[in-house]
Amino acid sequence: MRSDLFSPQNAEAQMQQPGMKLQNSKMLKIGLSGEVMVRQGAMVAYQGNIQFQGQGAGGIGKFVKQQLTGEGVPLMKCTGAGDLFLADLASDIHLLDLEGPHDGLTINGKNVLAFEPSLSYDIRRVQGAGMLSNAGLFNCVFSGQGRIAVTTKGTPVVLSVDQPTYADPQAAVCWSTSLQTGFHSAEQFGLGTFMGRTTGEGFTMSFSGQGFVVVQPSEEAPGGFVGGTGGGQQAGSAAGNILGNFLGR
């Protein structure tokens, strides 16, 4: 049989050792020898002897937080030996390596595709998020040493935060945990209305300090929270009242 489909660029990516490798810009290959944590529903193919076990939000504590905040990563633990292929609606995939206890990443839960079990994560309130904001209250924070695969809708820009930096909270994918964040009404920046017409920009997120912010060329549909499935301001207020000091600030 002959076809351009069988060109070398579509051949299975070769791996010298277990781990994560991009099969292409929209598909991740994991050479599995042990276990890996994967977003539920992301598996598109696998070869070998691999078992899948649902993990909810990654433990009872995280499950409670997920229910209250609308944020979190519905996970499955993949164990065994073989090749695992993952994708998420043809989104672009990027690999990041966290390199130690002082290296952390705050990320929109919708953008987490897979991560190595050596990493730890929690659901925390985003610094500076007011209860009247309808986005950006809670996100996932990863720390430790290991690799994580994240997705973006389109080719992102990585902004180096060496001056005051602002982004639409629905387009901000992830950022360094070392950064200080804040939320501001778009009216403060003159973005609320132009000649009596709304711009559609309700809130702007600010970043300061030293680090980076990854911004995708697409805005997630507004919900109760960034990356979450919450029910808006009312759900946000209820979650905030219930959680109290349960979540780190």
Side-chain angles (χ1 to χ4, degrees), residues 23-74:
Q23 170 65 34
N24 53 53
S25 65
K26 302 181 184 300
M27 187 178 296
L28 177 69
K29 178 181 179 180
I30 301 178
L32 187 60
S33 178
E35 68 179 58
V36 67
M37 304 302 292
V38 171
R39 167 176 289 280
Q40 290 183 14
M43 186 275 292
V44 295
Y46 73 94
Q47 296 177 306
N49 184 18
I50 300 177
Q51 293 78 45
F52 302 88
Q53 179 181 1
Q55 298 291 297
I60 186 63
K62 296 185 183 68
F63 176 78
V64 171
K65 292 182 183 181
Q66 182 182 34
Q67 298 308 304
L68 293 175
T69 66
E71 180 59 271
V73 187

Side-chain angles (χ1 to χ4, degrees), residues 5 29 34 44 77 87 89 108 135 163-164 177 204 211 224 233 237 249:
L5 179 64
K29 178 181 179 180
V44 295
K77 180 169 67 174
L89 299 176
N108 183 326
Q163 58 183 318
T177 55
T204 298
Q233 295 177 7
S237 298
R249 294 177 180 270

Side-chain angles (χ1 to χ4, degrees), residues 109-184:
K110 287 184 178 180
N111 298 93
V112 177
L113 182 65
F115 60 93
E116 295 178 341
S118 57
L119 292 174
S120 60
Y121 90 97
D122 200 0
I123 302 169
R124 299 180 188 172
R125 185 191 304 273
V126 177
Q127 184 184 38
M131 293 310 298
L132 294 180
S133 146
N134 194 34
L137 289 178
F138 302 96
N139 264 358
C140 296
V141 178
F142 285 82
S143 60
Q145 185 169 358
R147 177 165 284 189
I148 179 172
V150 304
T151 61
T152 63
K153 293 182 178 179
T155 303
V157 58
V158 180
L159 302 177
S160 178
V161 182
D162 50 9
Q163 58 183 318
T165 301
Y166 303 88
D168 186 312
Q170 303 296 342
V173 172
C174 59
W175 58 89
S176 310
T177 55
S178 58
L179 293 178
Q180 291 78 53
T181 61
F183 280 78
H184 311 274

